[in-house]
Amino acid sequence: MITILGIETSCDETAAAVVEDGRTLRSNVVASQIELHRRYGGVFPEMASRQHVLAITPVIREAMEQAGKAWSDLDAIAVTEGPGLAGSLLVGLNAAKGLALAHGIPLIGVNHLESHIYANWLPTDDASGQADAAFVPPPLPLVCLIVSGGHTDLILMREHHDYVLLGRTIDDAAGEAFDKVARLLGLDYPGGPSIQRAAAEGDPTAYDLPRALDVGPYDFSFSGLKTAVLRLVQELRRARGEEVADRGETLAEASLEGAGDGLPIADLAASFQAAVVDALVTKTVQAVEHHDAVQVLVAGGVAANALLRAEMRRRLPVPVRFPPIRFCTDNAAMVAMAGYHLYVAGKRSDLSLDVAPSLRLV
Ligand code: KG4
Ligand code: ZN
């Protein structure tokens, strides 16, 4: 049996999990800092790393206890080395290095984006952690769309750990656009779930927003969309007789508390969400048509979006997979799963492993 402890601290979740044989999830502990960062409308890096320092030991201990494992049972410790916030990554990485050194356990540095992809190999969404007997691992080659708070990448995955970049965002990540537009509309952080909730009551055709489909065939751009929503909000506020600074007002300046009061938030949220999803699905369909992918994987926090899940299923010519919702946003089960596949492929890191805040997958 191969037992891997995964550790994740790249952003604002402190997480640890134990996976056996790349099939059974023995524990999955996530300490979220969302409440802490909500009042700032985004992640406050200094506070995030301090919070990781407080949470990391209890979170790892709980993951080991829930799994019923001793240190001697572990075959490797897999830890996120990047990309992410340097101060946050350092906490998990140093904890992993200390444990590896103290207990003589192999260490494996994991790319955060690769771990999001491997969330699709987690064969369970029930509390027991037992693999679903009918689970079939994703067949290769496949087209993979990574949509998170920091990344929007279309990748061809030919083999395990063999990736070709097809395209990526030329400006904001999809999740970042959700977060910024949510702030503009006066909705809570994180923006994705707030926009999804608000959009449920709205009309996605209320406003015709740009899709930026004319960037590269597999590239994305969300900054024009974000600015279009800002201009629309300014127009709506002006039409209500409010004093609104002219084109000089930036998104950050407009994102004041209560900015959304009295605006048609549901229609704005629904129209924005429809535009993001349309761009993501259109480019993914194009990528599938031009490469012989047998399946599509969607990964990262935005993969939790219900409209994205529905539209991908409706418009793609091949089957599409998403991780169970709880494994879409940051967690350590996906790190342990990626760690298992890297372990089997022979990857080991030494104790000189350092954080890599700008690490790329391809
Ligand atoms: O993968 P993740 O947890 O962290 C990063 O690696 O960035 O992704 C977080 C992002 C945030 O931008 C959040 O707003 C977005 O995922 N997100 C969603 C949803 N849930 C989380 N975006 C759209 N719809 C959702 N339901
Ligand atoms: Zn992430």
PDB file of all heavy atoms in Angstrom, residues 38-55:
ATOM      1  N   ARG A  38     -12.808  38.148   4.283  1.00  0.00           N
ATOM      2  CA  ARG A  38     -14.027  38.704   3.696  1.00  0.00           C
ATOM      3  C   ARG A  38     -14.099  40.219   3.880  1.00  0.00           C
ATOM      4  O   ARG A  38     -14.457  40.951   2.968  1.00  0.00           O
ATOM      5  CB  ARG A  38     -15.247  38.022   4.316  1.00  0.00           C
ATOM      6  CG  ARG A  38     -16.545  38.478   3.693  1.00  0.00           C
ATOM      7  CD  ARG A  38     -17.667  37.514   3.974  1.00  0.00           C
ATOM      8  NE  ARG A  38     -17.597  36.357   3.079  1.00  0.00           N
ATOM      9  CZ  ARG A  38     -18.094  35.161   3.382  1.00  0.00           C
ATOM     10  NH1 ARG A  38     -18.648  34.944   4.556  1.00  0.00           N
ATOM     11  NH2 ARG A  38     -18.007  34.185   2.509  1.00  0.00           N
ATOM     12  N   ARG A  39     -13.726  40.688   5.071  1.00  0.00           N
ATOM     13  CA  ARG A  39     -13.872  42.130   5.322  1.00  0.00           C
ATOM     14  C   ARG A  39     -12.935  42.972   4.459  1.00  0.00           C
ATOM     15  O   ARG A  39     -13.138  44.164   4.311  1.00  0.00           O
ATOM     16  CB  ARG A  39     -13.668  42.436   6.812  1.00  0.00           C
ATOM     17  CG  ARG A  39     -12.224  42.389   7.255  1.00  0.00           C
ATOM     18  CD  ARG A  39     -12.124  42.566   8.745  1.00  0.00           C
ATOM     19  NE  ARG A  39     -12.155  41.236   9.368  1.00  0.00           N
ATOM     20  CZ  ARG A  39     -11.422  40.914  10.421  1.00  0.00           C
ATOM     21  NH1 ARG A  39     -10.676  41.813  10.999  1.00  0.00           N
ATOM     22  NH2 ARG A  39     -11.457  39.700  10.909  1.00  0.00           N
ATOM     23  N   TYR A  40     -11.922  42.343   3.866  1.00  0.00           N
ATOM     24  CA  TYR A  40     -11.021  43.085   2.965  1.00  0.00           C
ATOM     25  C   TYR A  40     -11.431  42.898   1.511  1.00  0.00           C
ATOM     26  O   TYR A  40     -10.805  43.465   0.615  1.00  0.00           O
ATOM     27  CB  TYR A  40      -9.575  42.625   3.138  1.00  0.00           C
ATOM     28  CG  TYR A  40      -9.105  42.711   4.577  1.00  0.00           C
ATOM     29  CD1 TYR A  40      -9.002  41.574   5.355  1.00  0.00           C
ATOM     30  CD2 TYR A  40      -8.818  43.951   5.145  1.00  0.00           C
ATOM     31  CE1 TYR A  40      -8.621  41.652   6.683  1.00  0.00           C
ATOM     32  CE2 TYR A  40      -8.432  44.043   6.486  1.00  0.00           C
ATOM     33  CZ  TYR A  40      -8.339  42.885   7.241  1.00  0.00           C
ATOM     34  OH  TYR A  40      -7.974  42.965   8.546  1.00  0.00           O
ATOM     35  N   GLY A  41     -12.424  42.045   1.263  1.00  0.00           N
ATOM     36  CA  GLY A  41     -12.882  41.807  -0.108  1.00  0.00           C
ATOM     37  C   GLY A  41     -11.876  41.025  -0.935  1.00  0.00           C
ATOM     38  O   GLY A  41     -11.954  41.010  -2.162  1.00  0.00           O
ATOM     39  N   GLY A  42     -10.916  40.392  -0.292  1.00  0.00           N
ATOM     40  CA  GLY A  42      -9.910  39.598  -1.014  1.00  0.00           C
ATOM     41  C   GLY A  42      -8.884  39.085  -0.024  1.00  0.00           C
ATOM     42  O   GLY A  42      -8.950  39.400   1.167  1.00  0.00           O
ATOM     43  N   VAL A  43      -7.941  38.296  -0.542  1.00  0.00           N
ATOM     44  CA  VAL A  43      -6.946  37.700   0.357  1.00  0.00           C
ATOM     45  C   VAL A  43      -5.905  38.747   0.753  1.00  0.00           C
ATOM     46  O   VAL A  43      -5.333  39.424  -0.085  1.00  0.00           O
ATOM     47  CB  VAL A  43      -6.250  36.496  -0.300  1.00  0.00           C
ATOM     48  CG1 VAL A  43      -5.180  35.932   0.610  1.00  0.00           C
ATOM     49  CG2 VAL A  43      -7.275  35.435  -0.635  1.00  0.00           C
ATOM     50  N   PHE A  44      -5.666  38.855   2.050  1.00  0.00           N
ATOM     51  CA  PHE A  44      -4.692  39.782   2.619  1.00  0.00           C
ATOM     52  C   PHE A  44      -3.451  38.927   2.917  1.00  0.00           C
ATOM     53  O   PHE A  44      -3.447  38.157   3.882  1.00  0.00           O
ATOM     54  CB  PHE A  44      -5.299  40.370   3.902  1.00  0.00           C
ATOM     55  CG  PHE A  44      -4.577  41.533   4.489  1.00  0.00           C
ATOM     56  CD1 PHE A  44      -5.304  42.570   5.084  1.00  0.00           C
ATOM     57  CD2 PHE A  44      -3.192  41.614   4.501  1.00  0.00           C
ATOM     58  CE1 PHE A  44      -4.653  43.655   5.653  1.00  0.00           C
ATOM     59  CE2 PHE A  44      -2.545  42.682   5.066  1.00  0.00           C
ATOM     60  CZ  PHE A  44      -3.277  43.703   5.644  1.00  0.00           C
ATOM     61  N   PRO A  45      -2.412  38.993   2.066  1.00  0.00           N
ATOM     62  CA  PRO A  45      -1.319  38.016   2.133  1.00  0.00           C
ATOM     63  C   PRO A  45      -0.642  37.882   3.496  1.00  0.00           C
ATOM     64  O   PRO A  45      -0.394  36.768   3.960  1.00  0.00           O
ATOM     65  CB  PRO A  45      -0.322  38.523   1.072  1.00  0.00           C
ATOM     66  CG  PRO A  45      -1.151  39.299   0.114  1.00  0.00           C
ATOM     67  CD  PRO A  45      -2.237  39.936   0.940  1.00  0.00           C
ATOM     68  N   GLU A  46      -0.357  38.998   4.157  1.00  0.00           N
ATOM     69  CA  GLU A  46       0.302  38.938   5.470  1.00  0.00           C
ATOM     70  C   GLU A  46      -0.519  38.142   6.477  1.00  0.00           C
ATOM     71  O   GLU A  46       0.012  37.332   7.242  1.00  0.00           O
ATOM     72  CB  GLU A  46       0.448  40.363   6.024  1.00  0.00           C
ATOM     73  CG  GLU A  46       1.568  41.152   5.412  1.00  0.00           C
ATOM     74  CD  GLU A  46       2.901  40.720   5.972  1.00  0.00           C
ATOM     75  OE1 GLU A  46       3.077  40.826   7.200  1.00  0.00           O
ATOM     76  OE2 GLU A  46       3.741  40.254   5.190  1.00  0.00           O
ATOM     77  N   MET A  47      -1.840  38.414   6.457  1.00  0.00           N
ATOM     78  CA  MET A  47      -2.714  37.721   7.405  1.00  0.00           C
ATOM     79  C   MET A  47      -2.825  36.253   7.040  1.00  0.00           C
ATOM     80  O   MET A  47      -2.924  35.392   7.905  1.00  0.00           O
ATOM     81  CB  MET A  47      -4.112  38.340   7.390  1.00  0.00           C
ATOM     82  CG  MET A  47      -4.060  39.796   7.761  1.00  0.00           C
ATOM     83  SD  MET A  47      -5.173  40.270   9.041  1.00  0.00           S
ATOM     84  CE  MET A  47      -6.558  39.295   8.755  1.00  0.00           C
ATOM     85  N   ALA A  48      -2.807  35.970   5.728  1.00  0.00           N
ATOM     86  CA  ALA A  48      -2.930  34.581   5.286  1.00  0.00           C
ATOM     87  C   ALA A  48      -1.763  33.760   5.824  1.00  0.00           C
ATOM     88  O   ALA A  48      -1.961  32.685   6.402  1.00  0.00           O
ATOM     89  CB  ALA A  48      -2.967  34.511   3.762  1.00  0.00           C
ATOM     90  N   SER A  49      -0.524  34.285   5.701  1.00  0.00           N
ATOM     91  CA  SER A  49       0.604  33.455   6.146  1.00  0.00           C
ATOM     92  C   SER A  49       0.596  33.288   7.662  1.00  0.00           C
ATOM     93  O   SER A  49       0.900  32.215   8.170  1.00  0.00           O
ATOM     94  CB  SER A  49       1.948  33.981   5.634  1.00  0.00           C
ATOM     95  OG  SER A  49       1.999  35.359   5.653  1.00  0.00           O
ATOM     96  N   ARG A  50       0.234  34.346   8.386  1.00  0.00           N
ATOM     97  CA  ARG A  50       0.168  34.197   9.858  1.00  0.00           C
ATOM     98  C   ARG A  50      -0.878  33.167  10.260  1.00  0.00           C
ATOM     99  O   ARG A  50      -0.685  32.381  11.185  1.00  0.00           O
ATOM    100  CB  ARG A  50      -0.148  35.542  10.504  1.00  0.00           C
ATOM    101  CG  ARG A  50       1.035  36.499  10.417  1.00  0.00           C
ATOM    102  CD  ARG A  50       0.732  37.807  11.088  1.00  0.00           C
ATOM    103  NE  ARG A  50       0.516  37.653  12.508  1.00  0.00           N
ATOM    104  CZ  ARG A  50       0.153  38.664  13.303  1.00  0.00           C
ATOM    105  NH1 ARG A  50      -0.021  39.866  12.799  1.00  0.00           N
ATOM    106  NH2 ARG A  50      -0.018  38.472  14.589  1.00  0.00           N
ATOM    107  N   GLN A  51      -2.011  33.188   9.550  1.00  0.00           N
ATOM    108  CA  GLN A  51      -3.068  32.226   9.863  1.00  0.00           C
ATOM    109  C   GLN A  51      -2.621  30.794   9.550  1.00  0.00           C
ATOM    110  O   GLN A  51      -2.924  29.863  10.291  1.00  0.00           O
ATOM    111  CB  GLN A  51      -4.326  32.602   9.077  1.00  0.00           C
ATOM    112  CG  GLN A  51      -5.593  31.943   9.572  1.00  0.00           C
ATOM    113  CD  GLN A  51      -5.887  32.253  11.037  1.00  0.00           C
ATOM    114  OE1 GLN A  51      -5.592  33.351  11.510  1.00  0.00           O
ATOM    115  NE2 GLN A  51      -6.427  31.277  11.752  1.00  0.00           N
ATOM    116  N   HIS A  52      -1.863  30.636   8.463  1.00  0.00           N
ATOM    117  CA  HIS A  52      -1.328  29.301   8.143  1.00  0.00           C
ATOM    118  C   HIS A  52      -0.417  28.815   9.268  1.00  0.00           C
ATOM    119  O   HIS A  52      -0.437  27.641   9.625  1.00  0.00           O
ATOM    120  CB  HIS A  52      -0.519  29.339   6.834  1.00  0.00           C
ATOM    121  CG  HIS A  52      -1.360  29.402   5.592  1.00  0.00           C
ATOM    122  ND1 HIS A  52      -2.365  28.499   5.315  1.00  0.00           N
ATOM    123  CD2 HIS A  52      -1.331  30.254   4.539  1.00  0.00           C
ATOM    124  CE1 HIS A  52      -2.917  28.799   4.141  1.00  0.00           C
ATOM    125  NE2 HIS A  52      -2.311  29.867   3.649  1.00  0.00           N
ATOM    126  N   VAL A  53       0.406  29.734   9.818  1.00  0.00           N
ATOM    127  CA  VAL A  53       1.318  29.348  10.902  1.00  0.00           C
ATOM    128  C   VAL A  53       0.517  28.801  12.088  1.00  0.00           C
ATOM    129  O   VAL A  53       0.876  27.789  12.693  1.00  0.00           O
ATOM    130  CB  VAL A  53       2.190  30.554  11.346  1.00  0.00           C
ATOM    131  CG1 VAL A  53       2.954  30.224  12.628  1.00  0.00           C
ATOM    132  CG2 VAL A  53       3.161  30.949  10.232  1.00  0.00           C
ATOM    133  N   LEU A  54      -0.608  29.467  12.383  1.00  0.00           N
ATOM    134  CA  LEU A  54      -1.434  29.018  13.514  1.00  0.00           C
ATOM    135  C   LEU A  54      -2.119  27.684  13.214  1.00  0.00           C
ATOM    136  O   LEU A  54      -2.269  26.845  14.090  1.00  0.00           O
ATOM    137  CB  LEU A  54      -2.505  30.067  13.836  1.00  0.00           C
ATOM    138  CG  LEU A  54      -1.991  31.427  14.305  1.00  0.00           C
ATOM    139  CD1 LEU A  54      -3.146  32.405  14.491  1.00  0.00           C
ATOM    140  CD2 LEU A  54      -1.217  31.271  15.619  1.00  0.00           C
ATOM    141  N   ALA A  55      -2.543  27.500  11.968  1.00  0.00           N
ATOM    142  CA  ALA A  55      -3.398  26.338  11.656  1.00  0.00           C
ATOM    143  C   ALA A  55      -2.636  25.084  11.240  1.00  0.00           C
ATOM    144  O   ALA A  55      -3.153  23.976  11.377  1.00  0.00           O
ATOM    145  CB  ALA A  55      -4.387  26.721  10.549  1.00  0.00           C
TER     146      ALA A  55
END
